Amino acid sequence: MGSTSAHGEHSNGAGLGRRDLIKRSAALGLITVPTMSFLSACASGGEENSTKGPDKGVVTKENPFGVAKGSKLDVVVFKGGFGDDYAKAWEAAFDKKWGTTSTHLGTQEITAKLQPRFNGGNPPDVVDDSGAQKIPLDVLAKSGQLADLTAVLDAPSLDDPAKKVRDTLVDGAVDQGNQGGKFVTLKYVYAVSGFWYSGKLFKEKGWAPPKTWDEFLAVCTKAKEAGLGGLAHQGKHPYYINVVIMDLIAKKGGLDALKAIDHLEPNAFEGNPAALAAVEAVYEVVEKGLLLPGTNGLTHTESQTAWNEYKAAFIPCGSWLENEQLKQTPADFDMKFLPVPLLAGSKLPFEAIRAGVDEPFIVPEKAANKAAGLEFLRSMLSREWSTIFAQQANSLTVVKDGVDPSVKLRPGTQSAVDALKAAGTNTFSYRYPDWYSEMDTEIQNASNELMAQRIQPKEWIRRAQAAVDKAAKDPNAKNNRRS
């Protein structure tokens, strides 16, 4: 659930990464700052360049968007941690039902492949805009490139036409797809993020999974004494270590601390004791030499592979990790999920975890076959397609009870699902990475400097607050409000 997901280059993520993961790069983390030429091009993409779509089909109760039989459907997905076999299966099912002809592209180079198409007014009909090289959603939204997907939410569910699609989704699915108060993004994967460890390694060493930050540091210290790294992190993609910092802030300061950041408040970081405590806690790992040597220079897949080789005790990531690392994970590794341990005086319990929706699918406003694009998203939100995704990508979707019980998730993903159940209502997520991509990038850059010991925690706080203050000048910020 991305990165995003970062999903690194995940391939996501969770994503949520998933990637090559990008996901997310996408992990999200992987967000790159768009160039002004792209911003300008998006903003100026004129109607004269738009492609006229095929004749629309007849709108009926069963065909609410008027998909035309014999029309063409153009689908581009991020090929990260989730792969793209699921999308190929979806496309085959769609073509069989609607008589369409689908074209498919699975890639991690979302910006390189699609920026020229958006600029030229001939974007695909459906896009999974994920990974490290994704096009920032706020950039697309501000330049009018995203279709309003509210009609999909209000369409009849394919599983129960008496229900609207929106009534079949998990909490947060709609809220987290908003940009400027409009629903323009279907985040499809339901993912959790936190730390991961090897059950086999911990059993062999006699280590107990930590619930407090002091216990976490103690295990990292024992790992170092055993010749291992305590913490591996995806140094070239600071999205991941930001997950740790931001989760510590949310858990210590409570949901008010989280909202202060998303709502760009002047004391979001500066003057927030929870924020400084979180950054200092992560910096202590660096100061005590508990990082896996060299991890600051590794990509997500390189650091994750080192972790799979038992070179470090912990790594931060989303629940797309297992799928992304299938080829690198030993059969008896016993991958386990761990919520971020607590700092002293935390307002949220240990079981509280970052959980939410990720892997953003969009229908471009200038899609040649927008009707089919909208229907494709409605189909994604059916039990049938949700089950296909679970089978192919080893991940849950935003459809409530959308996966057939016969589908067996792999052990690591199942441990994340178990943690989600243990969390109950104590789940949280941040919105700022989607709403303010430039702010997100600046905070990631500060974390990169922090982990390399080029700046101290108080300077990180200063830079993060400066990024918030800059984002607060965005006129659209007044519309980006958490419910």
Side-chain angles (χ1 to χ4, degrees):
M1 99 247 5
S3 41
T4 130
S5 116
H7 304 195
E9 235 170 75
H10 321 136
S11 137
N12 212 349
L16 236 133
R18 305 144 163 154
R19 328 123 143 76
D20 255 329
L21 223 16
I22 59 207
K23 190 191 168 298
R24 275 165 143 252
S25 54
L28 286 182
L30 319 179
I31 298 175
T32 53
V33 179
T35 61
M36 284 310 295
S37 61
F38 177 49
L39 287 167
S40 302
C42 276
S44 62
E47 287 301 318
E48 66 274 14
N49 292 325
S50 64
T51 302
K52 188 172 183 181
D55 293 335
K56 287 194 62 172
V58 178
V59 174
T60 64
K61 186 181 296 186
E62 292 74 27
N63 187 8
F65 306 113
V67 178
K69 186 173 183 179
S71 60
K72 298 184 184 306
L73 177 70
D74 187 351
V75 180
V76 176
V77 299
F78 170 74
K79 189 175 181 179
F82 297 131
D84 65 344
D85 287 345
Y86 70 89
K88 293 176 182 177
W90 286 349
E91 292 153 16
F94 194 83
D95 289 346
K96 182 177 181 180
K97 177 176 180 179
W98 295 102
T100 50
T101 301
S102 294
T103 57
H104 172 93
L105 173 63
T107 179
Q108 290 188 15
E109 301 176 355
I110 297 296
T111 293
K113 299 289 187 184
L114 297 189
Q115 175 178 326
R117 297 191 59 184
F118 274 103
N119 292 350
N122 63 328
D125 303 310
V126 176
V127 179
D128 170 18
D129 183 27
S130 191
Q133 301 172 54
K134 71 179 183 180
I135 304 173
L137 293 168
D138 57 333
V139 173
L140 290 171
K142 290 175 185 175
S143 54
Q145 296 283 0
L146 302 182
D148 188 337
L149 304 180
T150 305
V152 175
L153 298 177
D154 292 332
S157 163
L158 286 167
D159 298 314
D160 181 0
K163 290 183 177 180
K164 291 182 178 180
V165 168
R166 68 167 70 241
D167 298 325
T168 68
L169 308 182
V170 299
D171 292 344
V174 176
D175 187 35
Q176 294 182 51
N178 288 337
Q179 285 281 344
K182 184 188 295 185
F183 183 71
V184 292
T185 306
L186 171 60
K187 292 194 166 188
Y188 189 65
V189 176
Y190 195 63
V192 302
S193 292
F195 284 122
W196 296 80
Y197 65 96
S198 162
K200 176 186 178 182
L201 178 65
F202 272 53
K203 185 175 182 180
E204 288 179 351
K205 299 293 186 182
W207 300 337
K211 291 189 175 183
T212 69
W213 195 254
D214 285 344
E215 292 172 352
F216 174 78
L217 293 175
V219 175
C220 287
T221 299
K222 290 176 183 177
K224 182 179 180 181
E225 292 169 351
L228 311 177
L231 176 66
H233 80 107
Q234 302 84 335
K236 287 191 174 181
H237 302 300
Y239 156 83
Y240 296 92
I241 201 65
N242 262 15
V243 167
V244 180
I245 293 172
M246 294 297 170
D247 282 17
L248 286 169
I249 293 173
K251 295 178 88 161
K252 182 169 178 64
L255 298 183
D256 287 344
L258 175 153
K259 290 180 180 179
I261 296 171
D262 282 344
H263 289 166
L264 309 178
E265 294 180 8
N267 62 343
F269 291 106
E270 288 186 333
N272 179 356
L276 182 59
V279 182
E280 288 178 339
V282 171
Y283 191 64
E284 190 171 359
V285 177
V286 181
E287 278 192 311
K288 291 186 173 179
L290 301 178
L291 287 180
L292 170 69
T295 192
N296 284 337
L298 300 182
T299 65
H300 62 290
T301 50
E302 290 169 344
S303 61
Q304 290 161 193
T305 298
W307 171 74
N308 278 141
E309 294 171 347
Y310 304 105
K311 293 177 181 177
F314 299 101
I315 194 164
C317 201
S319 48
W320 57 83
L321 175 66
E322 185 173 35
N323 211 57
E324 187 172 46
Q325 294 294 116
L326 282 180
K327 293 180 181 178
Q328 292 77 25
T329 306
D332 60 350
F333 189 81
D334 192 19
M335 192 178 292
K336 300 282 191 183
F337 175 80
L338 180 77
V340 172
L342 294 181
L343 295 171
S346 288
K347 293 184 178 180
L348 298 183
F350 163 72
E351 291 79 10
I353 53 176
R354 177 189 295 233
V357 295
D358 204 354
E359 208 66 21
F361 282 77
I362 59 175
V363 173
E365 177 62 27
K366 295 178 183 176
N369 198 353
K370 190 188 295 185
L374 297 174
E375 182 62 36
F376 194 86
L377 265 56
R378 183 170 79 123
S379 302
M380 287 170 56
L381 298 172
S382 67
R383 188 177 177 85
E384 177 188 355
W385 282 30
S386 182
T387 296
I388 289 173
F389 187 82
Q391 290 171 325
Q392 299 281 354
N394 185 43
S395 185
L396 301 180
T397 74
V398 295
V399 182
K400 285 183 206 168
D401 303 318
V403 178
D404 189 284
S406 65
V407 177
K408 186 171 177 61
L409 298 172
R410 296 188 179 95
T413 301
Q414 186 59 53
S415 78
V417 172
D418 293 342
L420 186 60
K421 290 179 181 177
T425 58
N426 285 305
T427 60
F428 60 87
S429 63
Y430 287 88
R431 306 286 192 273
Y432 77 86
D434 283 337
W435 287 346
Y436 311 107
S437 59
E438 185 177 347
M439 166 184 155
D440 183 39
T441 298
E442 289 173 359
I443 295 175
Q444 287 186 39
N445 290 341
S447 295
N448 185 50
E449 296 292 288
L450 182 85
M451 299 308 286
Q453 284 189 288
R454 289 190 288 266
I455 64 172
Q456 302 286 312
K458 288 184 179 178
E459 174 62 13
W460 187 98
I461 292 290
R462 189 196 69 75
R463 293 187 184 191
Q465 188 64 52
V468 166
D469 296 343
K470 183 177 180 180
K473 297 176 182 178
D474 182 344
N476 200 41
K478 65 181 184 297
N479 297 318
N480 286 331
R481 309 298 293 177
R482 298 179 61 100
S483 60

